[in-house]
């Protein structure tokens, strides 16, 4: 460890996802609200040096608990303060012994939440659902204060970036009376919407996490039809169906991905995925790879800010933590190696669950449409079971291996249509 000077399944998942600790896309900075009792103030962490360190950013008045903070790539911290239906935005930064503040403007909205940090770290966006549509606001980085950059029909939630330019934003959208489906919103074209996830006509399909290098998508859906949501994975542009591994099915816990190993070009199945596992015993850590199909359950460091962390390209997981003795620390852990079959329970953290790898791992549903490239039609084949080698279980014949299309090469033309 390195020390220095965390009702419905969807609502539960949303609460879990809001750890209060947000890291920039490049892993350079992080921010959170901290303090004692009601005396809360923003705090910025610097993570790219030899030792991490924290800088408090207090102002004259303490912050409210519902304030949101988000770090930018230049080291400033965006704060969203709410007063009734008015959301005001400011940038905070160290200024000598105190804190500097740059007011950006305000947005009137009954609901508004900050989206995950943009890939370039220079801009920040927010999502504001309305009665019939959802507005996407550029709240930091614009020339004239907050700017409404897209209006998406339906009620949207979630938010994941599909590329490294900050152009394609995935949102989980629900039309009146319909299921939840993930759509891709092209911000460069004023909010042109294309379908992204459609596993079945009636299933609720949500995108939890996307990796722009490999095209790996982590998905939660009730498409398996078992009365509960399942965690699955797919590849944008692939001809293979969304898959729902048995190794990610923990009956008594909620499993939520929070980080994917970057830099695995054209190799989504080799990406290590970090997962937060929440159960009756608390929160602990999971590590999983699509190719290994083995869930490693591990004890996190004491004081882990649950649900936060980043991967290095060579497979080292960095987990931020804060304790009374170490108020700002980062634990480093190499990704466990996958062995033959089964689930590994690490250091006694949580109950091991799941079955050995093989055809018991179901990968999607018959006639599933699955994952689409933005602007394309259905791009999956009927669901199949998979054996330990990673190919479909078939009695004869050689399986056809379909190369995934990385997100930066995914077509952006075709079925684009507003709404």
């Amino acid at each position: 460890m390195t020390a220095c000077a965390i009702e419905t399944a969807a609502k539960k998942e949303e609460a879990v996802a809001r750890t209060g600790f947000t890291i920039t896309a490049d892993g350079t900075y992080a921010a959170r609200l901290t303090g004692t009792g009601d005396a809360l103030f923003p705090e910025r962490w610097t993570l790219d040096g030899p030792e991490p360190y924290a800088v408090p950013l207090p102002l004259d008045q303490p912050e409210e608990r519902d304030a949101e903070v988000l770090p930018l790539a230049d080291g400033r911290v965006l704060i969203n303060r709410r007063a009734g239906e008015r959301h005001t935005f400011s940038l905070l930064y160290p200024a000598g012994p105190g804190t500097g503040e740059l007011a950006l403007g305000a947005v009137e909205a009954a609901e508004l939440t900050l989206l995950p940090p943009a890939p370039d770290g220079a801009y920040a966006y927010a999502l504001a659902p309305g009665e019939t549509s959802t507005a996407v606001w550029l709240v930091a980085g614009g020339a004239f204060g907050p700017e409404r950059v897209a209006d998406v029909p339906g009620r949207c939630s979630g938010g994941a970036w599909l590329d490294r330019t900050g152009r394609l934003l995935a949102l989980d959208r629900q039309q009146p009376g319909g299921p939840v489906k993930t759509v891709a919103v092209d911000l460069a074209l004023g909010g042109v919407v294309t379908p992204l996830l459609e596993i079945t006509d009636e299933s609720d399909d949500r995108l939890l996490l996307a990796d722009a290098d490999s095209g790996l998508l982590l998905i939660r859906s009730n498409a398996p039809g078992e009365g509960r949501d399942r965690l699955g994975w797919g590849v944008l542009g692939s001809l293979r169906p969304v898959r729902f591994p048995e190794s990610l099915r923990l009956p008594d816990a909620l499993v939520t991905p929070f980080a994917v190993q970057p830099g695995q070009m054209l190799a989504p199945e080799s990406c290590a995925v970090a997962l937060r596992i929440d159960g009756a015993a608390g929160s602990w850590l999971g590590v999983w790879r699509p190719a290994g199909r083995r869930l490693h359950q591990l004890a996190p460091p004491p004081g882990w800010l649950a649900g936060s962390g980043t991967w290095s390209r060579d497979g080292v997981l960095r987990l931020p933590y804060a304790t009374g003795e170490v108020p700002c620390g980062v634990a480093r852990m190499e990704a466990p190696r996958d062995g033959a079959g089964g689930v590994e329970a690490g250091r006694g953290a949580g109950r091991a669950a799941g079955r050995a790898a093989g055809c018991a791992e179901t990968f999607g549903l018959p006639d599933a449409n699955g994952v689409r490239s933005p602007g394309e039609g259905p791009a999956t084949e009927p669901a199949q079971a998979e054996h330990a080698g990673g190919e479909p279980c078939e009695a004869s014949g050689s399986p056809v291996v379909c190369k995934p299309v990385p997100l930066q090469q995914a077509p952006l033309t075709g079925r684009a249509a507003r709404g």
Side-chain angles (χ1 to χ4, degrees):
M1 292 185 182
T2 301
C4 74
I6 144 196
E7 138 208 286
T8 65
K11 289 183 179 179
K12 289 181 181 179
E13 181 181 315
E14 183 178 1
V16 165
R18 295 180 183 178
T19 65
F21 190 88
T22 305
I23 305 174
T24 56
D26 63 2
T28 301
Y29 293 103
R32 66 169 180 161
L33 278 183
T34 188
T36 303
D38 292 329
L40 300 178
F41 57 89
E43 182 180 71
R44 187 196 71 187
W45 289 34
T46 300
L47 303 174
D48 64 340
E51 299 288 337
Y53 65 92
V55 176
L57 297 172
L59 293 170
D60 294 336
Q61 297 292 327
E63 304 293 346
E64 299 292 334
R65 291 193 175 274
D66 60 357
E68 294 181 290
V69 293
L70 183 144
L72 300 182
D74 62 6
R76 294 182 295 178
V77 174
L78 174 70
I79 186 165
N80 167 27
R81 302 182 180 102
R82 176 170 183 167
E85 295 189 358
R86 181 178 174 84
H87 298 260
T88 59
F89 301 93
S90 295
L91 290 175
L92 307 179
Y93 52 92
T99 300
E101 181 175 14
L102 174 64
L104 299 178
V107 172
E108 299 283 345
E111 297 179 53
L112 185 143
T113 57
L114 295 178
L115 286 166
D120 60 8
Y123 302 92
Y125 295 85
L127 203 61
E131 292 185 5
T132 60
S133 65
T134 300
V136 180
W137 286 86
L138 173 64
V139 294
F144 306 103
E147 176 186 354
R148 191 168 185 154
V149 295
D151 199 70
V152 183
R155 183 176 180 83
C156 296
S157 60
W161 295 100
L162 297 176
D163 62 352
R164 293 208 174 277
T165 67
R167 172 179 176 175
L168 293 177
L169 174 65
L171 296 174
D172 301 328
R173 179 176 72 170
Q174 185 172 28
Q175 298 278 34
V180 178
K181 300 292 182 185
T182 302
V183 296
V185 182
D186 192 330
L187 299 181
L189 296 180
V192 171
V193 176
T194 55
L196 186 66
L197 286 181
E198 292 187 3
I199 301 178
T200 70
D201 291 340
E202 304 300 327
S203 59
D204 292 321
D205 309 320
R206 295 178 172 86
L207 179 62
L208 305 183
L209 204 59
D211 176 60
D213 292 334
S214 64
L216 180 64
L217 307 178
L218 280 302
I219 297 157
R220 198 177 307 279
S221 174
N222 59 6
E226 300 172 359
R228 60 173 294 174
D229 289 345
R230 291 279 301 274
L231 186 61
W233 69 281
V235 181
L236 189 67
S238 173
L239 298 181
R240 304 183 70 180
V242 174
R243 307 156 199 185
F244 296 91
E246 285 292 324
S247 57
L248 294 181
R249 183 183 184 186
L250 301 183
D252 301 322
L254 178 63
V255 181
T256 306
F258 64 87
V260 177
Q261 180 184 359
Q264 309 304 300
M265 303 298 293
L266 294 176
E269 294 189 357
S270 67
C271 292
V273 179
L275 307 117
R276 171 177 174 172
I277 305 174
D278 292 276
S283 299
W284 62 96
L285 178 68
V287 175
W288 170 86
R289 291 184 184 87
R293 305 209 307 275
R294 181 182 185 184
L295 176 62
H296 303 264
Q297 298 186 55
L298 308 167
W304 176 43
L305 301 170
S308 61
T310 59
W311 286 102
S312 68
R313 288 175 175 264
D314 55 357
V316 176
L317 181 60
R318 295 168 292 206
L319 301 171
Y321 68 94
T323 65
E325 296 74 24
V326 183
C328 172
V330 174
R332 290 171 171 82
M333 176 187 303
E334 289 192 8
R337 295 183 179 182
D338 294 311
V343 174
E344 176 181 276
R347 307 179 191 177
R351 179 175 59 87
R355 296 199 290 268
C359 287
E361 294 207 3
T362 13
F363 282 30
L365 297 172
D367 302 321
N369 288 335
V371 181
R372 306 182 184 191
S373 293
E376 285 196 333
T380 56
E381 62 189 19
Q384 304 165 67
E386 184 173 276
H387 62 57
E391 297 297 345
C393 298
E394 295 180 311
S396 62
S398 299
V400 177
V401 179
C402 301
K403 273 192 174 182
V405 177
L407 293 173
Q408 58 267 37
Q409 298 177 13
L412 298 176
T413 59
R415 293 169 53 96
R418 291 188 179 274

